[in-house]
Amino acid sequence: IDALIISPTRELAQQIYDVVNIFLKTEITTFKSALFVGGNSITKDINDFIENGANIVVGTAGRLEDLLTRQNMTTSFRTYFKNLVNSNFF
């Protein structure tokens, strides 16, 4: 993960994600993005992320917190976020 964009609402996160994808498709074709918001299957989101990866993650604060604090979360997924944010934070 190279960038993490945290949005206060699901609707705004979706709009940001859509705009990010416009730029990624036209300018930087090798970068990938991922969207993490409530209402989507958390298991599917995790599996898609681990399988495909993402350079830019867009999500709501609540869903990102859920992903980081979930007890059955895979270690590799949590490690991506810990590497992005200062490890002293966790």
Side-chain angles (χ1 to χ4, degrees):
I1 300 172
D2 297 309
L4 175 63
I5 302 170
I6 302 173
S7 169
T9 66
R10 179 173 42 187
E11 293 79 12
L12 182 57
Q14 181 67 55
Q15 290 174 356
I16 293 168
Y17 176 76
D18 292 343
V19 171
V20 164
N21 282 328
I22 289 169
F23 283 104
L24 293 181
K25 288 179 183 171
T26 60
E27 299 296 326
I28 310 170
T29 58
T30 60
F31 277 27
K32 296 178 183 177
S33 62
L35 176 65
F36 297 107
V37 295
N40 293 346
S41 165
I42 195 164
T43 303
K44 182 181 180 315
D45 285 349
I46 293 167
N47 291 336
D48 287 347
F49 179 80
I50 291 172
E51 186 176 310
N52 301 315
N55 301 94
I56 300 173
V57 170
V58 180
T60 56
R63 176 49 62 103
L64 294 172
E65 179 185 28
D66 187 26
L67 288 169
L68 292 172
T69 59
R70 190 172 280 261
Q71 291 301 317
N72 61 352
M73 179 62 57
T74 62
T75 306
S76 60
F77 186 82
R78 190 175 286 139
T79 300
Y80 286 115
F81 284 99
K82 284 187 177 182
N83 290 336
L84 178 66
V85 182
N86 183 346
S87 62
N88 293 328
F89 178 75
F90 293 95

